[in-house]
Amino acid sequence: MEALEKVYELTKKLIMLLEQPVTSKNRDDVIQQLNGLIEERGKCMEQLSPPYSEDEMKLGNEIAQLNPKIQMKMEMLFTDLKTEMKQMKQQKKSQQSYTNPYKNFSTSDGTFLDRKN
């Protein structure tokens, strides 16, 4: 029961962490904390072994109901990160084209093509 209670507590901490507003400034810290909690939770889950009592079954069902919420919030965090990365890449590309507009400009001036008809 002790390992299952630890898993439940870590699950609650994950949800609380994911419900915090995540900005670009604190995103790295949040991701590091998430990774730490997930690793610790995984280690505790490895310690679980049947048979389970009735109380353990109830607690396990509560954890199972919280898992989709955690997964949804983590996917939202991941999509926000991907969107921000795309924006940064586009911003970098537009900034480079502004500082050197002729970088990708190709010309064929000065070439002569000899074609026989």
Side-chain angles (χ1 to χ4, degrees):
M1 183 75 171
E2 186 177 311
L4 190 62
E5 288 174 353
K6 181 84 171 166
V7 170
Y8 183 72
E9 291 298 319
L10 291 170
T11 302
K12 286 290 199 179
K13 286 181 183 179
L14 275 170
I15 289 175
M16 288 174 47
L17 185 63
L18 287 167
E19 287 178 347
Q20 293 179 19
V22 179
T23 62
S24 60
K25 292 180 180 178
N26 71 350
R27 182 176 291 126
D28 290 337
D29 294 334
V30 170
I31 291 173
Q32 287 178 350
Q33 290 174 2
L34 279 174
N35 285 337
L37 287 172
I38 289 171
E39 286 179 23
E40 190 176 347
R41 185 175 177 234
K43 289 176 184 176
C44 289
M45 289 178 98
E46 289 174 358
Q47 296 174 0
L48 298 176
S49 60
Y52 302 114
S53 68
E54 223 175 279
D55 292 335
E56 291 175 333
M57 293 293 284
K58 287 179 184 177
L59 199 56
N61 286 335
E62 286 183 42
I63 293 171
Q65 290 174 356
L66 294 174
N67 281 340
K69 186 176 182 179
I70 292 172
Q71 186 174 0
M72 181 186 70
K73 292 205 178 266
M74 288 183 75
E75 286 175 4
M76 287 174 43
L77 180 66
F78 183 65
T79 55
D80 289 345
L81 182 61
K82 282 184 7 181
T83 303
E84 188 172 326
M85 287 175 66
K86 282 182 183 179
Q87 288 173 349
M88 293 296 286
K89 189 174 183 179
Q90 181 63 32
Q91 185 180 15
K92 183 179 177 182
K93 185 177 179 181
S94 64
Q95 186 179 11
Q96 285 177 345
S97 66
Y98 180 75
T99 56
N100 189 4
Y102 301 111
K103 180 179 181 181
N104 293 331
F105 188 69
S106 62
T107 62
S108 57
D109 288 347
T111 59
F112 178 74
L113 299 175
D114 187 18
R115 224 191 281 176
K116 294 184 180 186
N117 291 336

